[in-house]
PDB file of all heavy atoms in Angstrom:
ATOM      1  N   GLU A   1       0.835  -1.204   0.000  1.00 94.00           N
ATOM      2  CA  GLU A   1       0.000   0.000   0.000  1.00 94.00           C
ATOM      3  C   GLU A   1       0.872   1.257   0.000  1.00 94.00           C
ATOM      4  O   GLU A   1       0.584   2.232  -0.711  1.00 94.00           O
ATOM      5  CB  GLU A   1      -0.914  -0.013   1.226  1.00 94.00           C
ATOM      6  CG  GLU A   1      -1.829   1.189   1.342  1.00 94.00           C
ATOM      7  CD  GLU A   1      -2.639   1.167   2.633  1.00 94.00           C
ATOM      8  OE1 GLU A   1      -3.174   0.091   2.970  1.00 94.00           O
ATOM      9  OE2 GLU A   1      -2.709   2.211   3.289  1.00 94.00           O
ATOM     10  N   LEU A   2       1.956   1.223   0.767  1.00 96.00           N
ATOM     11  CA  LEU A   2       2.853   2.377   0.814  1.00 96.00           C
ATOM     12  C   LEU A   2       3.565   2.568  -0.524  1.00 96.00           C
ATOM     13  O   LEU A   2       3.707   3.692  -1.016  1.00 96.00           O
ATOM     14  CB  LEU A   2       3.885   2.208   1.934  1.00 96.00           C
ATOM     15  CG  LEU A   2       3.326   2.147   3.359  1.00 96.00           C
ATOM     16  CD1 LEU A   2       4.455   1.983   4.370  1.00 96.00           C
ATOM     17  CD2 LEU A   2       2.495   3.384   3.676  1.00 96.00           C
ATOM     18  N   LEU A   3       4.012   1.466  -1.129  1.00 95.00           N
ATOM     19  CA  LEU A   3       4.656   1.558  -2.441  1.00 95.00           C
ATOM     20  C   LEU A   3       3.698   2.144  -3.475  1.00 95.00           C
ATOM     21  O   LEU A   3       4.107   2.858  -4.388  1.00 95.00           O
ATOM     22  CB  LEU A   3       5.127   0.174  -2.895  1.00 95.00           C
ATOM     23  CG  LEU A   3       6.315  -0.426  -2.134  1.00 95.00           C
ATOM     24  CD1 LEU A   3       6.558  -1.861  -2.585  1.00 95.00           C
ATOM     25  CD2 LEU A   3       7.572   0.411  -2.324  1.00 95.00           C
ATOM     26  N   GLU A   4       2.421   1.838  -3.302  1.00 93.00           N
ATOM     27  CA  GLU A   4       1.416   2.291  -4.269  1.00 93.00           C
ATOM     28  C   GLU A   4       1.001   3.744  -4.051  1.00 93.00           C
ATOM     29  O   GLU A   4       0.744   4.470  -5.013  1.00 93.00           O
ATOM     30  CB  GLU A   4       0.177   1.390  -4.169  1.00 93.00           C
ATOM     31  CG  GLU A   4      -0.909   1.736  -5.159  1.00 93.00           C
ATOM     32  CD  GLU A   4      -2.099   0.795  -5.066  1.00 93.00           C
ATOM     33  OE1 GLU A   4      -2.060  -0.126  -4.227  1.00 93.00           O
ATOM     34  OE2 GLU A   4      -3.053   0.988  -5.824  1.00 93.00           O
ATOM     35  N   THR A   5       0.968   4.195  -2.807  1.00 95.00           N
ATOM     36  CA  THR A   5       0.335   5.488  -2.522  1.00 95.00           C
ATOM     37  C   THR A   5       1.287   6.623  -2.128  1.00 95.00           C
ATOM     38  O   THR A   5       0.979   7.791  -2.355  1.00 95.00           O
ATOM     39  CB  THR A   5      -0.698   5.332  -1.394  1.00 95.00           C
ATOM     40  OG1 THR A   5      -0.032   4.854  -0.213  1.00 95.00           O
ATOM     41  CG2 THR A   5      -1.783   4.342  -1.793  1.00 95.00           C
ATOM     42  N   VAL A   6       2.427   6.304  -1.520  1.00 97.00           N
ATOM     43  CA  VAL A   6       3.290   7.362  -0.998  1.00 97.00           C
ATOM     44  C   VAL A   6       3.967   8.125  -2.135  1.00 97.00           C
ATOM     45  O   VAL A   6       4.507   7.537  -3.075  1.00 97.00           O
ATOM     46  CB  VAL A   6       4.357   6.788  -0.042  1.00 97.00           C
ATOM     47  CG1 VAL A   6       5.366   7.864   0.347  1.00 97.00           C
ATOM     48  CG2 VAL A   6       3.690   6.214   1.198  1.00 97.00           C
ATOM     49  N   ASP A   7       3.934   9.437  -2.035  1.00 97.00           N
ATOM     50  CA  ASP A   7       4.604  10.316  -3.000  1.00 97.00           C
ATOM     51  C   ASP A   7       5.258  11.456  -2.224  1.00 97.00           C
ATOM     52  O   ASP A   7       4.592  12.400  -1.806  1.00 97.00           O
ATOM     53  CB  ASP A   7       3.590  10.856  -4.007  1.00 97.00           C
ATOM     54  CG  ASP A   7       4.247  11.679  -5.114  1.00 97.00           C
ATOM     55  OD1 ASP A   7       5.455  11.973  -5.006  1.00 97.00           O
ATOM     56  OD2 ASP A   7       3.540  12.036  -6.080  1.00 97.00           O
ATOM     57  N   LEU A   8       6.566  11.356  -2.024  1.00 98.00           N
ATOM     58  CA  LEU A   8       7.302  12.350  -1.236  1.00 98.00           C
ATOM     59  C   LEU A   8       8.061  13.344  -2.120  1.00 98.00           C
ATOM     60  O   LEU A   8       8.900  14.094  -1.628  1.00 98.00           O
ATOM     61  CB  LEU A   8       8.305  11.642  -0.315  1.00 98.00           C
ATOM     62  CG  LEU A   8       7.734  10.700   0.749  1.00 98.00           C
ATOM     63  CD1 LEU A   8       8.866  10.095   1.578  1.00 98.00           C
ATOM     64  CD2 LEU A   8       6.747  11.419   1.658  1.00 98.00           C
ATOM     65  N   ARG A   9       7.780  13.347  -3.418  1.00 97.00           N
ATOM     66  CA  ARG A   9       8.569  14.179  -4.336  1.00 97.00           C
ATOM     67  C   ARG A   9       8.603  15.645  -3.919  1.00 97.00           C
ATOM     68  O   ARG A   9       9.663  16.261  -3.903  1.00 97.00           O
ATOM     69  CB  ARG A   9       8.030  14.035  -5.760  1.00 97.00           C
ATOM     70  CG  ARG A   9       8.377  12.706  -6.411  1.00 97.00           C
ATOM     71  CD  ARG A   9       7.772  12.606  -7.801  1.00 97.00           C
ATOM     72  NE  ARG A   9       6.325  12.508  -7.754  1.00 97.00           N
ATOM     73  CZ  ARG A   9       5.526  12.560  -8.819  1.00 97.00           C
ATOM     74  NH1 ARG A   9       6.061  12.715 -10.023  1.00 97.00           N
ATOM     75  NH2 ARG A   9       4.208  12.451  -8.685  1.00 97.00           N
ATOM     76  N   GLN A  10       7.459  16.195  -3.589  1.00 97.00           N
ATOM     77  CA  GLN A  10       7.412  17.606  -3.199  1.00 97.00           C
ATOM     78  C   GLN A  10       7.947  17.807  -1.782  1.00 97.00           C
ATOM     79  O   GLN A  10       8.702  18.749  -1.516  1.00 97.00           O
ATOM     80  CB  GLN A  10       5.973  18.127  -3.300  1.00 97.00           C
ATOM     81  CG  GLN A  10       5.841  19.626  -3.024  1.00 97.00           C
ATOM     82  CD  GLN A  10       6.696  20.475  -3.948  1.00 97.00           C
ATOM     83  OE1 GLN A  10       6.777  20.215  -5.151  1.00 97.00           O
ATOM     84  NE2 GLN A  10       7.359  21.486  -3.403  1.00 97.00           N
ATOM     85  N   SER A  11       7.586  16.921  -0.869  1.00 97.00           N
ATOM     86  CA  SER A  11       8.004  17.063   0.536  1.00 97.00           C
ATOM     87  C   SER A  11       9.521  17.101   0.674  1.00 97.00           C
ATOM     88  O   SER A  11      10.073  17.853   1.483  1.00 97.00           O
ATOM     89  CB  SER A  11       7.447  15.905   1.371  1.00 97.00           C
ATOM     90  OG  SER A  11       6.046  15.883   1.342  1.00 97.00           O
ATOM     91  N   LEU A  12      10.228  16.294  -0.124  1.00 97.00           N
ATOM     92  CA  LEU A  12      11.675  16.170   0.022  1.00 97.00           C
ATOM     93  C   LEU A  12      12.448  17.383  -0.490  1.00 97.00           C
ATOM     94  O   LEU A  12      13.650  17.484  -0.268  1.00 97.00           O
ATOM     95  CB  LEU A  12      12.164  14.900  -0.672  1.00 97.00           C
ATOM     96  CG  LEU A  12      11.857  13.602   0.090  1.00 97.00           C
ATOM     97  CD1 LEU A  12      12.140  12.379  -0.769  1.00 97.00           C
ATOM     98  CD2 LEU A  12      12.655  13.531   1.390  1.00 97.00           C
ATOM     99  N   THR A  13      11.758  18.322  -1.126  1.00 96.00           N
ATOM    100  CA  THR A  13      12.446  19.562  -1.510  1.00 96.00           C
ATOM    101  C   THR A  13      12.841  20.362  -0.268  1.00 96.00           C
ATOM    102  O   THR A  13      13.726  21.204  -0.327  1.00 96.00           O
ATOM    103  CB  THR A  13      11.565  20.437  -2.422  1.00 96.00           C
ATOM    104  OG1 THR A  13      10.332  20.738  -1.743  1.00 96.00           O
ATOM    105  CG2 THR A  13      11.255  19.708  -3.729  1.00 96.00           C
ATOM    106  N   ALA A  14      12.180  20.080   0.858  1.00 95.00           N
ATOM    107  CA  ALA A  14      12.472  20.790   2.108  1.00 95.00           C
ATOM    108  C   ALA A  14      13.595  20.139   2.899  1.00 95.00           C
ATOM    109  O   ALA A  14      14.024  20.662   3.936  1.00 95.00           O
ATOM    110  CB  ALA A  14      11.217  20.851   2.976  1.00 95.00           C
ATOM    111  N   LEU A  15      14.093  18.988   2.437  1.00 96.00           N
ATOM    112  CA  LEU A  15      15.137  18.270   3.172  1.00 96.00           C
ATOM    113  C   LEU A  15      16.418  19.101   3.229  1.00 96.00           C
ATOM    114  O   LEU A  15      16.904  19.585   2.212  1.00 96.00           O
ATOM    115  CB  LEU A  15      15.419  16.934   2.480  1.00 96.00           C
ATOM    116  CG  LEU A  15      16.184  15.901   3.286  1.00 96.00           C
ATOM    117  CD1 LEU A  15      15.290  15.329   4.372  1.00 96.00           C
ATOM    118  CD2 LEU A  15      16.666  14.780   2.367  1.00 96.00           C
ATOM    119  N   SER A  16      16.955  19.258   4.428  1.00 93.00           N
ATOM    120  CA  SER A  16      18.155  20.102   4.596  1.00 93.00           C
ATOM    121  C   SER A  16      19.422  19.286   4.836  1.00 93.00           C
ATOM    122  O   SER A  16      20.532  19.799   4.674  1.00 93.00           O
ATOM    123  CB  SER A  16      17.942  21.066   5.770  1.00 93.00           C
ATOM    124  OG  SER A  16      17.680  20.352   6.974  1.00 93.00           O
ATOM    125  N   GLN A  17      19.273  18.028   5.226  1.00 95.00           N
ATOM    126  CA  GLN A  17      20.447  17.202   5.514  1.00 95.00           C
ATOM    127  C   GLN A  17      21.165  16.797   4.222  1.00 95.00           C
ATOM    128  O   GLN A  17      20.547  16.724   3.158  1.00 95.00           O
ATOM    129  CB  GLN A  17      20.041  15.921   6.258  1.00 95.00           C
ATOM    130  CG  GLN A  17      19.346  16.133   7.561  1.00 95.00           C
ATOM    131  CD  GLN A  17      17.838  16.143   7.407  1.00 95.00           C
ATOM    132  OE1 GLN A  17      17.294  16.595   6.397  1.00 95.00           O
ATOM    133  NE2 GLN A  17      17.136  15.644   8.421  1.00 95.00           N
ATOM    134  N   PRO A  18      22.468  16.508   4.319  1.00 97.00           N
ATOM    135  CA  PRO A  18      23.159  15.897   3.180  1.00 97.00           C
ATOM    136  C   PRO A  18      22.458  14.594   2.805  1.00 97.00           C
ATOM    137  O   PRO A  18      22.121  13.790   3.674  1.00 97.00           O
ATOM    138  CB  PRO A  18      24.573  15.637   3.717  1.00 97.00           C
ATOM    139  CG  PRO A  18      24.743  16.635   4.832  1.00 97.00           C
ATOM    140  CD  PRO A  18      23.380  16.763   5.455  1.00 97.00           C
ATOM    141  N   TRP A  19      22.255  14.401   1.517  1.00 98.00           N
ATOM    142  CA  TRP A  19      21.468  13.259   1.040  1.00 98.00           C
ATOM    143  C   TRP A  19      22.196  12.596  -0.121  1.00 98.00           C
ATOM    144  O   TRP A  19      22.542  13.259  -1.100  1.00 98.00           O
ATOM    145  CB  TRP A  19      20.090  13.755   0.626  1.00 98.00           C
ATOM    146  CG  TRP A  19      19.168  12.720   0.039  1.00 98.00           C
ATOM    147  CD1 TRP A  19      19.277  11.374   0.105  1.00 98.00           C
ATOM    148  CD2 TRP A  19      17.961  12.990  -0.698  1.00 98.00           C
ATOM    149  NE1 TRP A  19      18.225  10.763  -0.544  1.00 98.00           N
ATOM    150  CE2 TRP A  19      17.404  11.730  -1.043  1.00 98.00           C
ATOM    151  CE3 TRP A  19      17.306  14.160  -1.090  1.00 98.00           C
ATOM    152  CZ2 TRP A  19      16.227  11.636  -1.776  1.00 98.00           C
ATOM    153  CZ3 TRP A  19      16.136  14.054  -1.815  1.00 98.00           C
ATOM    154  CH2 TRP A  19      15.594  12.803  -2.147  1.00 98.00           C
ATOM    155  N   LEU A  20      22.412  11.297   0.003  1.00 98.00           N
ATOM    156  CA  LEU A  20      23.047  10.516  -1.052  1.00 98.00           C
ATOM    157  C   LEU A  20      22.031   9.529  -1.615  1.00 98.00           C
ATOM    158  O   LEU A  20      21.464   8.726  -0.883  1.00 98.00           O
ATOM    159  CB  LEU A  20      24.266   9.761  -0.508  1.00 98.00           C
ATOM    160  CG  LEU A  20      24.975   8.805  -1.481  1.00 98.00           C
ATOM    161  CD1 LEU A  20      25.550   9.573  -2.670  1.00 98.00           C
ATOM    162  CD2 LEU A  20      26.071   8.028  -0.761  1.00 98.00           C
ATOM    163  N   ARG A  21      21.823   9.592  -2.924  1.00 98.00           N
ATOM    164  CA  ARG A  21      20.894   8.682  -3.607  1.00 98.00           C
ATOM    165  C   ARG A  21      21.706   7.668  -4.423  1.00 98.00           C
ATOM    166  O   ARG A  21      22.499   8.051  -5.280  1.00 98.00           O
ATOM    167  CB  ARG A  21      19.962   9.475  -4.527  1.00 98.00           C
ATOM    168  CG  ARG A  21      19.066  10.468  -3.795  1.00 98.00           C
ATOM    169  CD  ARG A  21      18.237  11.338  -4.748  1.00 98.00           C
ATOM    170  NE  ARG A  21      19.055  12.327  -5.439  1.00 98.00           N
ATOM    171  CZ  ARG A  21      19.334  12.306  -6.738  1.00 98.00           C
ATOM    172  NH1 ARG A  21      18.866  11.326  -7.508  1.00 98.00           N
ATOM    173  NH2 ARG A  21      20.077  13.243  -7.286  1.00 98.00           N
ATOM    174  N   LEU A  22      21.500   6.387  -4.151  1.00 98.00           N
ATOM    175  CA  LEU A  22      22.246   5.323  -4.832  1.00 98.00           C
ATOM    176  C   LEU A  22      21.315   4.527  -5.731  1.00 98.00           C
ATOM    177  O   LEU A  22      20.193   4.178  -5.327  1.00 98.00           O
ATOM    178  CB  LEU A  22      22.898   4.382  -3.814  1.00 98.00           C
ATOM    179  CG  LEU A  22      23.841   5.025  -2.783  1.00 98.00           C
ATOM    180  CD1 LEU A  22      24.433   3.963  -1.873  1.00 98.00           C
ATOM    181  CD2 LEU A  22      24.952   5.792  -3.490  1.00 98.00           C
ATOM    182  N   TYR A  23      21.784   4.233  -6.948  1.00 97.00           N
ATOM    183  CA  TYR A  23      20.954   3.546  -7.930  1.00 97.00           C
ATOM    184  C   TYR A  23      21.722   2.423  -8.612  1.00 97.00           C
ATOM    185  O   TYR A  23      22.943   2.478  -8.744  1.00 97.00           O
ATOM    186  CB  TYR A  23      20.490   4.517  -9.026  1.00 97.00           C
ATOM    187  CG  TYR A  23      19.708   5.692  -8.524  1.00 97.00           C
ATOM    188  CD1 TYR A  23      20.333   6.899  -8.237  1.00 97.00           C
ATOM    189  CD2 TYR A  23      18.333   5.594  -8.327  1.00 97.00           C
ATOM    190  CE1 TYR A  23      19.615   7.991  -7.772  1.00 97.00           C
ATOM    191  CE2 TYR A  23      17.604   6.683  -7.860  1.00 97.00           C
ATOM    192  CZ  TYR A  23      18.247   7.878  -7.584  1.00 97.00           C
ATOM    193  OH  TYR A  23      17.537   8.947  -7.117  1.00 97.00           O
ATOM    194  N   GLY A  24      20.974   1.421  -9.071  1.00 95.00           N
ATOM    195  CA  GLY A  24      21.510   0.412  -9.981  1.00 95.00           C
ATOM    196  C   GLY A  24      21.022   0.756 -11.380  1.00 95.00           C
ATOM    197  O   GLY A  24      19.816   0.922 -11.589  1.00 95.00           O
ATOM    198  N   ARG A  25      21.926   0.864 -12.323  1.00 94.00           N
ATOM    199  CA  ARG A  25      21.536   1.268 -13.685  1.00 94.00           C
ATOM    200  C   ARG A  25      20.559   0.279 -14.312  1.00 94.00           C
ATOM    201  O   ARG A  25      19.757   0.640 -15.163  1.00 94.00           O
ATOM    202  CB  ARG A  25      22.788   1.408 -14.561  1.00 94.00           C
ATOM    203  CG  ARG A  25      22.519   1.970 -15.964  1.00 94.00           C
ATOM    204  CD  ARG A  25      23.804   2.118 -16.768  1.00 94.00           C
ATOM    205  NE  ARG A  25      24.425   0.820 -16.999  1.00 94.00           N
ATOM    206  CZ  ARG A  25      24.093  -0.012 -17.974  1.00 94.00           C
ATOM    207  NH1 ARG A  25      23.129   0.313 -18.825  1.00 94.00           N
ATOM    208  NH2 ARG A  25      24.712  -1.166 -18.130  1.00 94.00           N
ATOM    209  N   LEU A  26      20.601  -0.975 -13.889  1.00 92.00           N
ATOM    210  CA  LEU A  26      19.771  -2.017 -14.486  1.00 92.00           C
ATOM    211  C   LEU A  26      18.524  -2.335 -13.657  1.00 92.00           C
ATOM    212  O   LEU A  26      17.854  -3.333 -13.902  1.00 92.00           O
ATOM    213  CB  LEU A  26      20.614  -3.293 -14.667  1.00 92.00           C
ATOM    214  CG  LEU A  26      21.920  -3.106 -15.442  1.00 92.00           C
ATOM    215  CD1 LEU A  26      22.740  -4.389 -15.449  1.00 92.00           C
ATOM    216  CD2 LEU A  26      21.653  -2.640 -16.868  1.00 92.00           C
ATOM    217  N   ASP A  27      18.219  -1.485 -12.691  1.00 91.00           N
ATOM    218  CA  ASP A  27      17.113  -1.715 -11.764  1.00 91.00           C
ATOM    219  C   ASP A  27      15.770  -1.697 -12.490  1.00 91.00           C
ATOM    220  O   ASP A  27      15.427  -0.724 -13.164  1.00 91.00           O
ATOM    221  CB  ASP A  27      17.136  -0.638 -10.678  1.00 91.00           C
ATOM    222  CG  ASP A  27      16.276  -0.980  -9.475  1.00 91.00           C
ATOM    223  OD1 ASP A  27      15.370  -1.819  -9.607  1.00 91.00           O
ATOM    224  OD2 ASP A  27      16.512  -0.399  -8.408  1.00 91.00           O
TER     225      ASP A  27
END
């Protein structure tokens, strides 16, 4: 349900801490 409904895209613009996003190119 959380995977389906949660959308933090706008909320995270307010994040002030250092943030590292890690991805797999083939994900």
Side-chain angles (χ1 to χ4, degrees):
E1 180 184 315
L2 297 180
L3 290 173
E4 182 178 0
T5 60
V6 172
D7 185 351
L8 297 181
R9 286 178 291 172
Q10 185 57 42
S11 299
L12 285 170
T13 58
L15 196 72
S16 59
Q17 301 93 326
W19 177 16
L20 175 63
R21 297 175 288 111
L22 304 182
Y23 302 94
R25 186 179 63 84
L26 306 174
D27 195 339

